[in-house]
Structure formats: structure tokens, C-alpha cells
Amino acid sequence: VLWEHHDQLYMTFFYYASQENKPNVFMINYLSYQRFYEDCSLAVAGSIGCQPRNLDQMFVAINASGKGTEHAKEKHNDQHSLNRQEFLQLLVRVAYARYIMTGQVHDVSDAVRMVVEQDVLNNVVPECLHDLNTFREHYCYLEEVDHVLRRHETSLRALYKEFSKDLDPSRVLEKTYVVMGYDEWIGFLQSVHVIDMGFGESSTQFCSLRHGTLAFVWSRMAVIGSEEDDAVVLKTQNLLFEDFLEALVRVSTMVGWPTDAEIEEAGYTDAGEFLLNLRQFSHVYDRFMAKHATSWDQEPRQPIERCVDHLIAWVIRVVAAAG
């Protein structure tokens, strides 16, 4: 049952792991876990083993099972948070407490199916049901997008290297000596004014911190293997260059860019020049951004290759203006 729904369960895990504006966006801490079981109404008042205090005890018990010298190798496992494997274990525990202990069903797999299909997937936010590969096929794996990225490849590689962290070459596979972590990604978005930490969720931002975070989480490489393996952790907690490009495509869909016709009519050469000049008139800029704002799950108002080109033009203009 878990394998049948693993894509959606992993997406649910990724979503709640990336909430609460915390530094570790790869595990679910207690506050995120509490938000998860409240969103899904998993607690049952007056039940034998599925009251809120029982759910809290499950969280503690699962984390406690990783302590001790015999588990010393779990160096990447925060003992106060759930990793992906522990999240799946928790779902089974909840299923047992919610449906087996109450006698509603007698088979654990049936109980797990009920928790997953009835309680979790019916109640989580739309971001948890986002299909990564559908997005990639619809927006990333296109010849037109490839042409735009290749045209700017030299600049994009330079930006990626500038904002990425250096690693010990002896510990990195495939001679990849730099990777972009979450902090570097958010730092990049701030530096090029795609998100502005000082203005919260303002509609005049290109992208909110929340969706900038999700772009990072959704663009990481999926890797088979133990989450205690250094090589697995390297790939699952960082963006390689190709992942960085996907994250840029994702961010580009979240902005209501001016169209080529609007840019030409205003007498500018690209979206970067258009918006930088528009920002001098704050009220006009705010109205334009609010009017054309798009959500992560909306179809952009122009072809995706134009959105990507506009984002890159903006980034290059901002970097050039910063000297």
C-alpha cells in the first residue's frame, strides 16, 4: 500500500518538512508533524490509542528508536525530527491505532490504505499532490526551453558556481565539486531580488519564501538508497546544476512577466529592463505585479520558454546593476 502511493506520500513528506521557516527542510520537526496530523484530522477524541497525546508519543517513540551506540551511524538523522523512512513508519503506527485497535478492520494493510486514502490524501493541501514528472514533461523537457537555457548556459553556470558551496573533492562522486544547498538557493533568490525576506508574502514579490522553498524541494534529484549514505544525502539535500535549472523553470512560472508586446510597446529590450525601470514608480510596479501575479499551479499567461527567458533577463540585469 505504501509503495502504491509512495509518490504522493513522499510529496506530502517534502511539503511538511519544508514548512515552519526552519533551516532543515529535509525532515519533519514536531511543529510540522503536529500541523500534519491536525490537517488530516488523524487524532480521534476518546480513542484508545489515537488521541493527540498518543500521536505525540508515536513521534517521540520513533525518534527514540534511533538513539544509542548501535545506531551511531545515523549521523544524518536528527533525533528530534522524522526523516522520510520514519514518516512512513509513523503512518503504519497511526493506521494500527486508528483502525486496528478500534476493531474497524483486522488487516494492517487495510488500515494503512484507509489512513492514506481517506485521511491523508483527502485532506492535505494541493502542493502535496503536485506531480513532479508531469511538471517536467509539460514545462522542462521542451526543445524551446532547452534553447533558452543553452543560450544562457555560460551565465547560468557562473551564477550556480558563485552561489554554491565548495565540497571536499574526496567525498564527492562524479567529480562534482560544488553543489547548491538550501541556504545557497535562498541566498541566490534574495540576491537577485526574486524573493525579499523583508516583505513576507507580499504579492509584489516575484516569489514567496514558501514557494521558493518548494521550488528547491521539488527540483532535487530522487535517489534510491539509505538516507545515512553520504552520497545519497549529497544528492537529496542539494541541487546539482541540472536541478538548479529545473528550479529556475519552476520559479519562472510563479511570476506574471510582461509579454514581449508589452516590453516592445514600453520601449525596452527585455523583461529585466522593463521591470527595473517600472520599480522606480512603486505604485505602478505594485499594480502591475498584483494584476499579473500567478500561482505555482496556474498556467502561465505566455509560453514557458518566454517565462524562463524573462527570469534570466531579470537576473542578469540585477547582477549587472549590482556591479
Side-chain angles (χ1 to χ4, degrees):
V1 174
L2 292 174
W3 177 252
E4 181 181 339
H5 297 286
H6 74 279
D7 282 337
Q8 293 168 316
L9 292 177
Y10 287 164
M11 289 299 294
T12 299
F13 171 81
F14 295 152
Y15 174 79
Y16 285 96
S18 65
Q19 298 305 295
E20 310 299 337
N21 293 337
K22 55 191 178 62
N24 187 338
V25 297
F26 312 107
M27 294 188 182
I28 294 178
N29 66 6
Y30 173 70
L31 290 177
S32 297
Y33 166 64
Q34 189 176 47
R35 179 178 173 183
F36 164 71
Y37 75 65
E38 289 175 351
D39 287 349
C40 298
S41 300
L42 294 180
V44 180
S47 70
I48 300 175
C50 207
Q51 298 183 56
R53 61 182 175 82
N54 301 124
L55 296 177
D56 292 343
Q57 290 166 355
M58 292 179 198
F59 180 89
V60 174
I62 290 174
N63 277 301
S65 67
K67 294 180 179 179
T69 55
E70 71 273 17
H71 295 283
K73 67 177 183 178
E74 295 191 0
K75 57 184 176 181
H76 299 295
N77 189 1
D78 180 356
Q79 299 302 327
H80 302 286
S81 301
L82 301 174
N83 64 21
R84 186 173 52 174
Q85 295 152 324
E86 291 168 336
F87 177 69
L88 297 180
Q89 179 190 154
L90 181 132
L91 292 176
V92 177
R93 287 176 180 256
V94 171
Y96 184 86
R98 187 174 172 87
Y99 293 111
I100 298 291
M101 292 178 65
T102 59
Q104 295 184 55
V105 297
H106 302 286
D107 184 90
V108 176
S109 63
D110 291 336
V112 172
R113 183 176 298 279
M114 293 172 71
V115 162
V116 171
E117 296 180 355
Q118 297 179 19
D119 301 318
V120 175
L121 299 184
N122 274 342
N123 291 297
V124 291
V125 297
E127 286 93 333
C128 295
L129 306 180
H130 172 57
D131 190 312
L132 298 178
N133 287 325
T134 296
F135 177 92
R136 289 163 181 156
E137 292 169 1
H138 192 58
Y139 293 116
C140 297
Y141 304 153
L142 301 175
E143 188 173 356
E144 296 82 1
V145 172
D146 181 67
H147 287 327
V148 172
L149 295 174
R150 287 183 183 277
R151 190 168 72 250
H152 296 287
E153 181 177 358
T154 300
S155 297
L156 293 174
R157 286 191 180 276
L159 284 168
Y160 174 78
K161 184 175 181 180
E162 177 65 26
F163 284 92
S164 294
K165 56 187 175 184
D166 293 314
L167 295 177
D168 179 356
S170 66
R171 297 178 57 224
V172 182
L173 297 181
E174 301 172 357
K175 299 182 179 180
T176 302
Y177 301 144
V178 294
V179 291
M180 180 175 283
Y182 172 70
D183 290 341
E184 287 77 29
W185 166 251
I186 295 300
F188 163 73
L189 293 182
Q190 288 179 260
S191 295
V192 298
H193 304 307
V194 170
I195 62 172
D196 188 336
M197 297 293 287
F199 294 96
E201 299 289 324
S202 168
S203 62
T204 60
Q205 293 184 89
F206 281 11
C207 176
S208 69
L209 173 62
R210 172 172 167 245
H211 285 109
T213 298
L214 285 174
F216 175 90
V217 169
W218 288 340
S219 300
R220 293 172 303 153
M221 182 181 296
V223 181
I224 295 176
S226 169
E227 296 185 17
E228 294 309 312
D229 186 306
D230 287 344
V232 171
V233 171
L234 173 69
K235 291 183 177 180
T236 57
Q237 296 192 2
N238 298 280
L239 301 179
L240 301 182
F241 179 66
E242 292 75 12
D243 307 328
F244 171 66
L245 297 182
E246 178 182 329
L248 290 178
V249 174
R250 290 184 178 277
V251 168
S252 78
T253 68
M254 302 176 187
V255 182
W257 301 106
T259 63
D260 291 332
E262 290 170 333
I263 295 170
E264 183 179 358
E265 183 180 354
Y268 298 117
T269 57
D270 57 52
E273 185 181 22
F274 178 99
L275 291 176
L276 281 173
N277 280 277
L278 198 64
R279 287 186 73 175
Q280 299 178 52
F281 311 97
S282 59
H283 295 302
V284 178
Y285 173 80
D286 288 347
R287 283 199 304 271
F288 180 90
M289 296 301 291
K291 178 181 179 181
H292 299 296
T294 59
S295 175
W296 67 273
D297 57 349
Q298 289 180 317
E299 188 75 19
R301 69 186 189 114
Q302 54 187 307
I304 183 60
E305 65 271 15
R306 299 308 307 139
C307 295
V308 175
D309 201 46
H310 294 328
L311 173 61
I312 295 173
W314 166 264
V315 169
I316 292 174
R317 290 278 185 180
V318 171
V319 171

